[in-house]
Amino acid sequence: VYKRQVIGCGGLAVGVLLLLAGGLYLLQRAYNGDVKRVAGALPGGAGRPSSTGRGENWLLIGSDRRADIPSMGARSDTIMLVHLSGRGDRVSVIAIPRDAWVPVPGHGDAKINAAFSFGGPSLLIRSVERLTHVRVDHYAALDFGGFVKMTDALGGVDVTITKKTHDPMHDRTWQAGHQHLEGVEALDFVRQRWNLPGGDLDRIKRQQAFLHALADKALDTRNPIKIDRFIRAATRSVTVDDSVSSGTLRGLARRLLKTSLLEYLTAPVAKMDERDGQSVVLLDEDGTRELFTDVREDRVGDYVSRNGAANSVDAVR
C-alpha cells in the first residue's frame, strides 16, 4: 500500500493564507468581474450527500482547457477537495489522483477525470461525492494557461529537483538542483508525469511544490504593478460555480485569515493497475473511507494524528 502523504506547512501556511485572503479581498472589490462563473456546475436533484454543517468543501480542478466548457477529450488534470474546518483552525487540501478508477454515475467505472469529459463540472462533482460521500459546497477551476501568466507576472519562481529527469512528452530535461521556472517551463513542470517513478502521484507533489513556490514569491513581492498583474492573471484564469458571490469570497477570506494550519493530503492509493487497456490508480478502499469519513465529520486532525507522515514541498523528484 502506498504511504499516505501529508504535508504540514507551518509558517508557510500563514503566508499562503494571507496571500489568498488578501487576493480574495481585492478580488471581491476590484477584480470580481474578471472571474468567470458557470451555471449548473453544482448538481441538482436527489442523491447527493446531505450537508453535515461541519465545515465547508470546495472542489478545485486544474485543466489545460477552459474549465467551464466540457468537450470531447477535455479532462480535468488536477482534482482537489478542499475542506475548511468548521472551527476555522485548518484547511485540508486533498488530492484525488486523476487516474483513480471509480464509479462515474451513468457511465460505469472509469478514470475520475473522464467525468468532466462525459458531463462537465456537474458530473465530476457527482463522481467525487459518490467516492467520498462528502457534499461539495462550491466549485472552482483554474486554466493551466494561467500558470504561465501568473508566473511571468512575478518574474518566475524557484523550485528544487532532487534527481535529473527527462520529460519525453515536452522534450525537456530537468537537471538536479535549484531551478528557476518562467512561463512555459512552469507549465511543463506541473504537467510532467512521464519518467517520474510515481507517475501521477509524483506529479501531484510537483504541483504542490510549484504552488508553494508561487505563493512564496507572491508574498515576497512588494512591487504593486507585479501584484496587480499577478492577481489579474489569477482571477482571469479562474472559473467558479454561479452561487459564488463577492460575499462568498469575502466570507472565505475571513475564514482563511483565522486559519492557523494548511495541510496537503493525497487520497490513499493501493496500487497501479490496468483496466480496459488503460493505466489506472486503484485507491485503498479502507483508507479512502477512513479519510473521507473524517472529512465529513470535520475530524481531519484525527486522521492526520493516526496516519500522518509529513512530506516537504521544498524538494521534489
Side-chain angles (χ1 to χ4, degrees), residues 289-303:
R289 186 181 307 110
E290 177 190 2
L291 169 59
F292 290 114
T293 295
D294 282 339
V295 171
R296 190 167 58 252
E297 297 300 323
D298 200 17
R299 299 194 310 256
V300 182
D302 293 345
Y303 176 86

Side-chain angles (χ1 to χ4, degrees), residues 204-225:
I204 288 171
K205 294 178 184 179
R206 281 189 165 213
Q207 291 165 351
Q208 293 169 341
F210 175 80
L211 292 174
H212 171 110
L214 189 67
D216 229 12
K217 185 67 174 287
L219 286 167
D220 284 341
T221 299
R222 298 291 182 266
N223 185 321
I225 296 176

Side-chain angles (χ1 to χ4, degrees), residues 31-262:
Y31 303 120
N32 187 55
D34 288 338
V35 178
K36 295 182 289 291
R37 289 175 169 82
V38 55
L42 297 178
R48 299 185 65 196
S50 58
S51 176
T52 64
R54 298 169 181 156
E56 184 173 283
N57 303 297
W58 288 66
L59 183 67
L60 304 184
I61 76 164
S63 176
D64 277 340
R65 303 193 183 200
R66 278 191 59 184
D68 55 340
I69 303 177
S71 61
M72 187 63 65
R75 298 193 175 199
S76 47
D77 296 294
T78 301
I79 304 170
M80 295 178 286
L81 185 68
V82 180
H83 177 73
L84 295 92
S85 73
R87 296 178 299 277
D89 60 340
R90 68 199 303 147
V91 174
S92 306
V93 182
I94 305 166
I96 301 173
R98 69 175 194 168
D99 290 342
W101 190 251
V102 302
V104 174
H107 296 272
D109 289 345
K111 292 182 179 182
I112 195 167
N113 72 336
F116 185 84
S117 178
F118 295 151
S122 178
L123 184 59
L124 178 60
I125 290 172
R126 282 194 177 278
S127 301
V128 170
E129 290 184 338
R130 180 166 180 173
L131 169 68
T132 65
H133 301 289
V134 172
R135 187 180 181 90
V136 173
D137 299 301
H138 292 294
Y139 166 86
L142 175 67
D143 172 7
F144 273 175
F147 277 154
V148 174
K149 294 178 181 177
M150 284 187 284
T151 305
D152 286 348
L154 297 176
V157 299
D158 299 310
V159 298
T160 299
I161 297 174
T162 58
K163 292 187 178 181
K164 179 181 176 179
T165 181
H166 178 70
D167 179 359
M169 180 59 65
H170 304 103
D171 192 24
R172 189 181 294 279
T173 298
W174 301 101
Q175 300 294 334
H178 297 292
Q179 301 289 332
H180 183 74
L181 305 180
E182 296 187 10
V184 177
E185 289 178 317
L187 189 57
D188 288 348
F189 178 78
V190 299
R191 289 190 303 187
Q192 182 175 352
R193 61 190 303 200
W194 298 270
N195 277 351
L196 295 177
D200 199 42
L201 300 182
D202 279 338
R203 187 169 97 140
I204 288 171
K205 294 178 184 179
R206 281 189 165 213
Q207 291 165 351
Q208 293 169 341
F210 175 80
L211 292 174
H212 171 110
L214 189 67
D216 229 12
K217 185 67 174 287
L219 286 167
D220 284 341
T221 299
R222 298 291 182 266
N223 185 321
I225 296 176
K226 285 188 176 182
I227 293 172
D228 177 74
R229 287 175 179 168
F230 174 77
I231 295 176
R232 288 189 183 278
T235 56
R236 288 172 179 171
S237 302
V238 170
T239 301
V240 296
D241 70 83
D242 59 358
S243 74
V244 176
S245 65
S246 60
T248 306
L249 297 172
R250 224 172 13 247
L252 180 59
R254 292 194 192 101
R255 276 176 174 263
L256 292 173
L257 281 169
K258 295 177 181 178
T259 301
S260 57
L261 175 65
L262 172 65

Side-chain angles (χ1 to χ4, degrees), residues 271-289:
K271 64 178 181 178
M272 309 298 188
D273 210 337
E274 189 172 295
R275 294 288 188 275
D276 300 335
Q278 307 174 77
S279 176
V280 303
V281 172
L282 299 184
L283 297 177
D284 175 352
E285 293 184 7
D286 291 339
T288 297
R289 186 181 307 110

